[in-house]
Amino acid sequence: MSPPVQDTVSGVNTDTPVAESISRNPLTSDQQTAIASKGTSTWERTLGQPIFTNGSFSQPSLKKAIKGAGIEDEESAILRGSFETEVGDRGPITETGYSRGNVQAMGPNSVWGQRMVRDGIMTPDGDVTNLYSGDNVFNSVYANRNGNGDFASGDGSLFKGRGLIQITGRTNYQEVQNRLDQIGVNVDIMDNPSLVNDERYALPAALAMLDYLGVNSDTVPTMSAKSLNNSINSRAPVATAEERWENVISTLEAEGKQDLADSVSNRNEYSAQREVGTTVDGDVGPNTIRAIRNWARSNGLALPEGASNLDLVVFVNENS
């Protein structure tokens, strides 16, 4: 089994939700007042919008909550498509640990394996030692990353992936807490990380995290398959990046917004690279631009003058 390839935001081993104590008390009057007086951006206005129905996560409730916060059309689709890729219908969940067998299958030469060898969880020959535990795997592989301390600090397990967008790492949890604090909501996420799974905070926490990563209403109009992937999970494979973008498109199609879905579909660097016959990695560099020029010439097409890299991607996809 291959380990996750991203250290910044997403914990990826989320096949089985881990039960955590989650309170479901209503917001206090002070919190509601803070939201009403300071909640001017879309992610702030999601606080208090219910995403659970009868105690369970609900996709219709999530959709209604996003709309209730004034988030619609393309921005809504990007959010919901991202959540679909990260957690699907499971809602806010906690990254689960790796079994002893899965750890051993990684091998000592894998990225995660090398870290576990360093911390004594795995021998250089690939055998799992008596230091193995689910917590220690996270403490090792997430050590000294995203603001976490070293293996002994326990930060890796404490700040493993949680929530709708799988927030991971001390720095990212702190950023979410800071953003909630800015609107007068005093939520101690640092001492209680499972609060990002709480139905009161899961949606604003996820959007605050995305805002920190540069995914917001200002960037949505120029967001592409590659840029969205870079924001959420920069080292994810092409298949995951395209699945995420396809989920965005499918969300728009399901709402009957086919014209917008077609426009978004054209902002896919990977499909453009396949069409022009160059390396499919999403990076539109000199080689891809050269391939686009050759492709256009061979098809008797004139490239738009002054086109940005994204304009070129859209041009290829519109004419393929």
Side-chain angles (χ1 to χ4, degrees), residues 15-49:
D15 291 337
T16 305
V18 171
E20 295 199 46
S21 177
I22 300 177
S23 61
R24 295 192 172 87
N25 298 322
L27 292 171
T28 67
S29 59
D30 287 344
Q31 288 174 328
Q32 292 171 341
T33 299
I35 297 163
S37 62
K38 299 184 180 180
T40 56
S41 70
T42 51
W43 71 264
E44 292 169 348
R45 293 199 301 270
T46 62
L47 193 55
Q49 297 282 347

Side-chain angles (χ1 to χ4, degrees), residues 126-300:
D127 294 325
V128 179
T129 73
N130 59 6
L131 283 180
Y132 161 79
S133 70
D135 284 345
N136 274 345
V137 170
F138 290 127
N139 290 335
S140 177
V141 300
Y142 289 152
N144 302 311
R145 286 169 170 77
N146 302 309
N148 287 347
D150 61 13
F151 172 71
S153 73
D155 282 354
S157 178
L158 182 62
F159 298 110
K160 60 191 172 186
R162 292 185 181 87
L164 289 168
I165 204 68
Q166 291 296 279
I167 301 163
T168 306
R170 176 179 282 274
T171 294
N172 291 329
Y173 277 85
Q174 186 67 63
E175 286 294 337
V176 169
Q177 178 165 306
N178 291 348
R179 279 163 164 71
L180 292 178
D181 186 62
Q182 287 170 9
I183 59 169
V185 180
N186 184 15
V187 182
D188 191 358
I189 289 173
M190 299 309 291
D191 284 341
N192 303 279
S194 64
L195 284 174
V196 300
N197 284 347
D198 189 298
E199 66 175 285
R200 296 170 297 175
Y201 308 118
L203 183 55
L207 269 64
M209 186 69 249
L210 289 172
D211 181 67
Y212 171 57
L213 296 170
V215 181
N216 51 50
S217 56
D218 292 332
T219 61
V220 159
T222 57
M223 194 68 64
S224 66
K226 177 64 173 177
S227 64
L228 182 60
N229 190 66
N230 283 353
S231 296
I232 295 177
N233 190 340
S234 62
R235 295 176 60 193
V238 171
T240 300
E242 291 201 275
E243 174 193 338
R244 184 181 293 110
W245 199 240
E246 184 57 40
N247 283 336
V248 174
I249 297 164
S250 297
T251 297
L252 291 168
E253 290 176 336
E255 294 180 349
K257 299 172 181 175
Q258 190 61 52
D259 289 345
L260 187 53
D262 292 341
S263 175
V264 170
S265 179
N266 287 329
R267 302 204 305 260
N268 183 338
E269 295 92 339
Y270 308 101
S271 61
Q273 288 176 324
R274 287 193 193 90
E275 174 65 22
V276 302
T278 190
T279 302
V280 180
D281 58 9
D283 291 321
V284 182
N287 290 338
T288 295
I289 293 174
R290 187 179 306 111
I292 290 174
R293 293 186 185 283
N294 292 337
W295 172 86
R297 189 180 304 113
S298 66
N299 285 279

